[in-house]
Amino acid sequence: DQMFSFKYSPGKLRGNQYKSMMTKEELEEEQRVQREQLAAIFRLMKEKSDTFGEMSEGDMKEQLRLYDI
């Protein structure tokens, strides 16, 4: 019987792993693509507020913090 102990940190471990494997240019491109994808998601959410509900800028920032963005 072995006990395993680990600390789960959603998003952060994976984010740090991929960041350390990328060049500066790749990282900048990844961040640019992320910004474009988030902008598209927020536009869709705003256009379809009857489906997604109303979200304030503060609500969105809080959600982004959950994903280490």
Side-chain angles (χ1 to χ4, degrees):
D1 250 345
Q2 289 184 343
M3 296 285 290
F4 292 98
S5 175
F6 62 92
K7 181 179 178 187
Y8 180 64
S9 181
K12 294 183 188 222
L13 181 61
R14 290 185 304 257
N16 287 336
Q17 285 177 336
Y18 88 81
K19 287 177 185 175
S20 67
M21 295 169 31
M22 298 174 85
T23 66
K24 181 181 177 187
E25 291 79 18
E26 290 171 328
L27 187 56
E28 288 172 353
E29 177 67 8
E30 177 69 19
Q31 291 169 342
R32 183 190 66 76
V33 170
Q34 282 180 1
R35 285 190 302 271
E36 287 179 3
Q37 290 173 341
L38 286 171
I41 290 167
F42 292 145
R43 275 194 306 273
L44 177 66
M45 290 174 69
K46 192 172 190 174
E47 291 169 5
K48 305 288 184 180
S49 61
D50 55 325
T51 301
F52 297 106
E54 294 291 329
M55 286 190 82
S56 70
E57 185 176 336
D59 293 334
M60 289 185 201
K61 287 181 180 181
E62 183 62 31
Q63 288 295 312
L64 291 174
R65 274 191 223 114
L66 296 174
Y67 298 97
D68 194 32
I69 298 176

